[in-house]
Amino acid sequence: MTAAFKIDDEYDQVRAACYILQVLGRIYVWPGDIDKLGGHLDRGINYLARMLDPENPICQELQGIWEADSPVFASISTQLEELKKRRSEGSW
């Protein structure tokens, strides 16, 4: 999981890792070390937020790939909200 967040321009890899966190990132579901789940969620939240921040180079690069009103950005926003929800459900 941690490897997915190490390279800033691996957007698909990061989004896939965040999807796994969306689906499995719950206290009684997470298959890995539960003590690390909060950190994974925090990294996912931070990365997705940077993907949506127009001032961030990551977002600017993505806007060069997709239009700013692309459904991709709406999907990233939904994914970000889901991770925030997962993070608020537990205390790690």
Side-chain angles (χ1 to χ4, degrees):
M1 182 65 58
T2 305
F5 299 113
K6 288 190 181 210
I7 303 173
D8 275 355
D9 63 352
E10 292 293 334
Y11 311 116
D12 293 336
Q13 182 177 332
V14 170
R15 293 217 39 228
C18 288
Y19 179 77
I20 291 169
L21 288 169
Q22 274 180 264
V23 175
L24 301 177
R26 298 181 176 122
I27 293 174
Y28 298 110
V29 178
W30 185 247
D33 184 350
I34 196 68
D35 294 330
K36 294 182 180 180
L37 178 56
H40 293 317
L41 288 166
D42 289 341
R43 280 188 289 283
I45 289 166
N46 179 277
Y47 196 94
L48 293 176
R50 289 186 292 151
M51 290 175 89
L52 296 174
D53 177 4
E55 301 296 318
N56 192 290
I58 293 172
C59 181
Q60 293 167 4
E61 185 173 336
L62 290 175
Q63 287 177 343
I65 299 169
W66 299 296
E67 298 295 321
D69 62 349
S70 167
V72 171
F73 290 101
S75 176
I76 294 169
S77 180
T78 299
Q79 196 170 25
L80 175 60
E81 292 309 311
E82 282 293 318
L83 290 190
K84 286 179 179 179
K85 180 179 172 186
R86 293 285 169 266
R87 187 62 172 110
S88 70
E89 290 173 349
S91 55
W92 295 277

